[in-house]
Amino acid sequence: MKIDIGAIAFLVSMVPFTTAFLPSIQQTNQLSSLSKAPHNSFSLAPLRAADDDDEEEEEKKENPYADPNYPDLEFVNYDDPEYQVDQGVGDEFFDPESTEAQIEAMREERRMKNDEFQFETYYKDVLRNGAEFKGEWTVFQTSTFLPETNGEAEFPKLKKLGEPFKVYSKGERIEVEGDGEAEKFRLENQRVLHTERLFVASSSDDSAAPAVSDDIKAVQEEIVNTQYAPNEMKSGDFRGQQGNMCVGNGFTVATATSLKDGEPAGEGPYGEYRTELGVQKDDLRFRVKLEYAVRKVEKESMELPPLHLKTMTLCREAEGMWPRAENYKSAIESLTDIVFFGSAGANGGLYDPPPVGSEEQAGQYMLLDLEGGASLLVPYKMDQDPMVHGDMGWVTSFDWSPGPIRFQVDRKINGGSGILGLRTLELSEVQAADADTYRPKDGGANMRQ
């Protein structure tokens, strides 16, 4: 208990400002230390009649603010220039390093709780608790890496690599072996393992895979086996610098390899960069896989070569059933012909076009209309030199309406050699029928943080 009687002190007499402390379990040690520090303090006793002996009266001077009901109160003179203990400037009660360490520990605890939330949400909503998705994948390759370009990096053309092929996709939650010590947090040994494999026709399947050449099949297998997310994804991977996050119906993952040695890297510059952006709704999921790489000619001549879009893979998937299957298990799956393969492009283009920087930087983007009423804004070239476009960064936007609700997810990343780091993942939701009425008119702006 702490009793502030400073105002009373000022009114009664011109004595220094005082504060009374009522000892408690928490204050016992503090008061013990105070008694050792140089300051003016008075140990109070019950009031009694004055003594005729002036010397004794001076020696046992009564404090005018004493309360006879609390004889053990200790009064501290804060105006004493030598008093400093519990003002936070002495060594006994103030340790800057210790304070900062405690603050950082609290921040880390909050970050870990957010990591757990992201991990659990990703597994529950995006991976549907480990359910198997069946999808049709369509792969496009940019002309930037085709032999006939002769090393030129103009505005790329997209070349479709064969017909759509079928893929099984699943996310499995596994337990890894710990280090033998007690777990520091609940999900310390939990991991998500992504598995994707080509469909192989059999007599028990309800759909047949079209025949393809060995060359096309090799490309398909390479795409399916390429990682777009961290291997054995842990909860700590859902932090901004790793590029993985989910918000509402939107999600994204990313991974990158070092320009120097080709090994997985958290810091740039990068030799390869792969990311995935998507929207899921009920049993339907639409993912866009983007693969970037540096060109050999630029790697040999530049310290920080730009990343160029190499391949784009569109993954149209349904939980437990192939899109466009003959026999549907649910009403929403019967709409796959429309929501996955209907007319190309979102109605009116992107619902909320994001800012893309200067006119020069905007020229490094392409806007694509995709079957199924979807639109995609994607940079085909991302500079890793921070002096080129400053701190603007890059954005990939995906707009899709899997039903009455229209979603747009914006994946905004850092610029320069910090491209793997995710600044924000933003999701817009609007009734598809009302999109034109409520379309933002800010000319392209970041969401307020």
Side-chain angles (χ1 to χ4, degrees):
M1 178 174 176
K2 197 171 183 179
I3 305 173
D4 189 349
I5 57 174
I8 301 175
F10 180 81
L11 293 173
V12 175
S13 65
M14 299 300 291
V15 299
F17 177 77
T18 60
T19 303
F21 292 92
L22 184 60
S24 64
I25 296 175
Q26 292 81 1
Q27 295 171 337
T28 302
N29 293 335
Q30 181 175 353
L31 294 177
S32 176
S33 299
L34 288 174
S35 64
K36 301 176 183 178
H39 62 275
N40 295 334
S41 61
F42 304 91
S43 179
L44 302 182
L47 293 175
R48 60 183 177 81
D51 198 298
D52 292 337
D53 190 335
D54 292 340
E55 184 177 330
E56 182 179 354
E57 181 180 354
E58 181 178 355
E59 193 174 295
K60 299 181 179 181
K61 186 176 181 180
E62 298 172 358
N63 190 290
Y65 314 114
D67 189 332
N69 297 316
Y70 299 98
D72 295 328
L73 286 179
E74 183 176 19
F75 288 85
V76 179
N77 182 2
Y78 284 99
D79 284 347
D80 187 338
E82 294 186 0
Y83 175 75
Q84 59 179 357
V85 177
D86 70 347
Q87 292 180 349
V89 296
D91 294 335
E92 296 181 66
F93 290 95
F94 184 73
D95 183 352
E97 295 183 359
S98 176
T99 301
E100 289 300 322
Q102 292 176 10
I103 293 174
E104 179 58 29
M106 289 188 290
R107 289 172 177 165
E108 180 63 17
E109 183 180 3
R110 289 195 296 269
R111 286 191 288 261
M112 289 171 60
K113 289 182 179 179
N114 183 67
D115 295 342
E116 290 187 4
F117 171 79
Q118 286 281 314
F119 183 91
E120 298 283 12
T121 302
Y122 180 74
Y123 183 72
K124 174 180 176 292
D125 294 343
V126 179
L127 303 180
R128 301 300 293 270
N129 291 314
E132 184 176 68
F133 280 80
K134 297 179 179 181
E136 287 193 17
W137 290 20
T138 307
V139 180
F140 297 86
Q141 184 176 12
T142 63
S143 58
T144 305
F145 290 90
L146 296 178
E148 56 265 29
T149 59
N150 297 319
E152 298 179 0
E154 301 296 333
F155 189 91
K157 297 179 181 179
L158 292 174
K159 178 182 179 181
K160 187 177 180 181
L161 295 181
E163 294 300 314
F165 55 96
K166 297 185 175 182
V167 180
Y168 297 103
S169 299
K170 186 177 182 179
E172 183 181 3
R173 190 166 180 170
I174 62 174
E175 183 88 14
V176 299
E177 186 175 352
D179 55 10
E181 299 181 1
E183 294 185 10
K184 298 181 179 65
F185 57 97
R186 184 172 61 87
L187 299 178
E188 183 174 0
N189 298 326
Q190 295 281 317
R191 300 290 186 272
V192 165
L193 183 65
H194 300 85
T195 57
E196 294 172 330
R197 56 189 176 88
L198 275 173
F199 165 75
V200 178
S202 67
S203 58
S204 61
D205 284 300
D206 58 359
S207 183
V212 296
S213 67
D214 291 340
D215 291 341
I216 294 295
K217 186 175 181 180
V219 172
Q220 293 175 353
E221 289 180 344
E222 181 181 358
I223 293 294
V224 170
N225 294 327
T226 299
Q227 286 189 341
Y228 284 77
N231 187 32
E232 294 190 358
M233 200 173 195
K234 58 184 183 296
S235 61
D237 288 329
F238 286 93
R239 297 195 180 184
Q241 60 267 33
Q242 280 87 3
N244 310 302
M245 190 175 291
C246 52
V247 54
N249 296 77
F251 61 92
T252 186
V253 295
T255 187
T257 59
S258 170
L259 175 67
K260 182 178 180 180
D261 55 19
E263 294 296 319
E267 297 182 356
Y270 305 105
E272 292 182 350
Y273 170 78
R274 294 182 291 274
T275 184
E276 181 181 299
L277 180 69
V279 170
Q280 58 81 23
K281 182 70 171 75
D282 297 324
D283 295 336
L284 305 180
R285 190 171 70 185
F286 198 152
R287 294 185 289 159
V288 179
K289 292 175 176 281
L290 302 170
E291 179 185 15
Y292 291 84
V294 299
R295 296 165 59 237
K296 183 178 180 181
V297 63
E298 292 175 330
K299 181 178 180 180
E300 295 173 348
S301 61
M302 302 174 65
E303 182 179 356
L304 297 171
L307 289 161
H308 296 269
L309 183 63
K310 185 177 181 180
T311 65
M312 177 182 72
T313 305
L314 306 179
C315 309
R316 299 172 170 95
E317 302 166 317
E319 182 183 342
M321 178 168 285
W322 298 110
R324 296 193 282 199
E326 294 181 0
N327 300 314
Y328 295 105
K329 297 179 181 179
S330 65
I332 192 169
E333 288 177 339
S334 67
L335 300 175
T336 55
D337 279 344
I338 299 175
V339 299
F340 281 146
F341 306 102
S343 59
N347 185 24
L350 287 178
Y351 169 71
D352 185 11
V356 291
S358 64
E359 183 176 350
E360 179 185 359
Q361 186 173 3
Q364 296 176 207
Y365 283 84
M366 58 171 62
L367 180 60
L368 306 172
D369 289 331
L370 311 177
E371 288 182 338
S375 291
L376 177 70
L377 176 70
V378 56
Y380 66 83
K381 175 185 175 182
M382 295 190 295
D383 297 279
Q384 297 194 82
D385 187 344
M387 302 302 294
V388 177
H389 296 298
D391 194 41
M392 180 60 197
W394 304 91
V395 59
T396 302
S397 297
F398 178 58
D399 185 331
W400 181 49
S401 302
I405 303 297
R406 180 170 174 174
F407 300 96
Q408 178 179 318
V409 58
D410 298 324
R411 185 180 196 277
K412 298 181 179 180
I413 60 176
N414 297 320
S417 59
I419 283 176
L420 181 62
L422 185 65
R423 284 184 173 177
T424 61
L425 183 67
E426 301 172 0
L427 180 71
S428 300
E429 297 183 28
V430 65
Q431 289 283 341
D434 300 330
D436 287 337
T437 302
Y438 299 105
R439 188 182 297 273
K441 297 179 176 59
D442 53 17
N446 292 315
M447 286 188 178
R448 296 180 62 185
Q449 301 302 309

